[in-house]
Amino acid sequence: MSSHSPYGQSSLCTVQVLGGGNAGSSAHVRSLTAGLVARGVRVTVCAPCDADDTYDFTGAGAEHVHVPRSSDPGSVAALRAACTNADLVHAHGLHASFRAVLALSGRRTPLVVTWHNRAHAEGARAHLLRLLERRVARTAAVVLGVTSDLVDRARRTGARDARLAAVALPRRRAGEGAQEECEQPLPKLRAELGAIGRPLLMAVGSLDRHRGYDLLLDASRAWRELDPAPLVVIAGEGPQRAELQHRIEDEELPVRLLGLRDDVGELLAAADLALLPGGGESRSVLAQEALHARVPLVAALADGVRELVGDAAELVPPGDAKAFGAAVVRLLDDPERAERLRDMGARQAATWPTEDETVAQVLSVYDELTQPRPMI
């Protein structure tokens, strides 16, 4: 699709709005930015400074404007100013989308929103999130959902146009997680973690309740009796850390909290199994990376997991710690099944959209909303 206005006018000018708190959506915006810029689209990324530090949107050719995660009047005003000359605004995630709705109030600039995950909250905050969803869905010209359940949710919430989005797993940029000094990085990494002579199980994600780490710790109780007992490592940080660490120490569980790591790819390559105990992401980055890396995955069947991995993973009922633990034990005891999952995972990963396909779909939506229709 063309990225230029007709009759030799200037190229399309877009603003990408990002909260910056979600690794999957941030990596997607970085990938999308690079693809759009390569096709002649001018891109401004409105996101917190720490997001640009991590994902280097400016290095991908975008202009970066610092916009805090909050929806206070100052943040909305900064976003409104950044969108002044935009032909189209594309917001990622519920909170960023709501800020974009506020910033574009009274303007006719088309708004596209991508929902990468279902927002999680309890009590009064859950009611507020439903109100935000409704406002965003009914205001946006197009809502893109990364899974079918998110598309259905957008339609139920009042979206005029909701579509399934092609979202690729972005390639790692050069130098990310490199361990050039180490001739045998994986054995060294396993030794550092304390996983020599025992299985290494890995989970990744912020330490929030909806990630299912309470269930993972429940399941790990049974693994203490195995010989050798597997070690579970969790890469991530968040509000549940103190609570989880207390349980690990109190119950003597074979689990380590690693905090934030910049070598997730190497950790995953060193692991025997990848674990996805909760429904934290509709299109889980860990699940995608595990299948690409040929690491068997055990996952709770929640949100868009089945749609993403098909039969290429051990899927268990959500919220069932006993079933989750038993699935891990079965897989550790069955190397032939694990090898089959590696092969099935590689085939499943080959069916996922590429970054070029993702950019092409987004550009087709942009052109649809910004290019004049021919007169008949």
Side-chain angles (χ1 to χ4, degrees), residues 202-208 211 213 233-241 244 256-262 264 267:
M202 182 183 177
V204 180
S206 59
L207 305 184
D208 293 294
R211 296 282 185 176
Y213 294 130
V233 295
I234 303 173
E237 196 56 82
Q240 246 198 318
R241 182 183 182 93
L244 295 173
R256 286 189 59 186
L257 303 181
L258 303 182
L260 294 175
R261 300 280 296 221
D262 59 5
V264 169
L267 288 168

Side-chain angles (χ1 to χ4, degrees), residues 156-177:
R156 291 194 305 269
T157 309
R160 292 173 286 168
D161 187 342
R163 311 178 192 181
L164 186 64
V167 177
L169 176 67
R171 292 184 295 268
R172 290 182 177 274
R173 302 197 300 280
E176 280 190 347

Side-chain angles (χ1 to χ4, degrees), residues 120-198:
H120 296 270
E122 299 176 355
R125 182 167 170 76
H127 177 67
L128 174 61
L129 287 179
R130 287 194 295 272
L131 294 177
L132 296 187
E133 281 185 334
R134 187 177 302 118
R135 175 76 179 276
V136 167
R138 294 180 177 182
T139 303
V142 176
V143 178
L144 300 174
V146 303
T147 59
S148 297
D149 64 301
L150 287 174
V151 174
D152 292 341
R153 186 179 184 87
R155 288 171 178 159
R156 291 194 305 269
T157 309
R160 292 173 286 168
D161 187 342
R163 311 178 192 181
L164 186 64
V167 177
L169 176 67
R171 292 184 295 268
R172 290 182 177 274
R173 302 197 300 280
E176 280 190 347
Q179 294 191 8
E180 298 173 356
E181 300 177 359
C182 194
E183 293 181 1
Q184 292 183 305
L186 302 187
K188 181 178 179 181
L189 186 54
R190 289 180 70 105
E192 172 203 316
L193 297 171
I196 295 297
R198 63 192 300 197

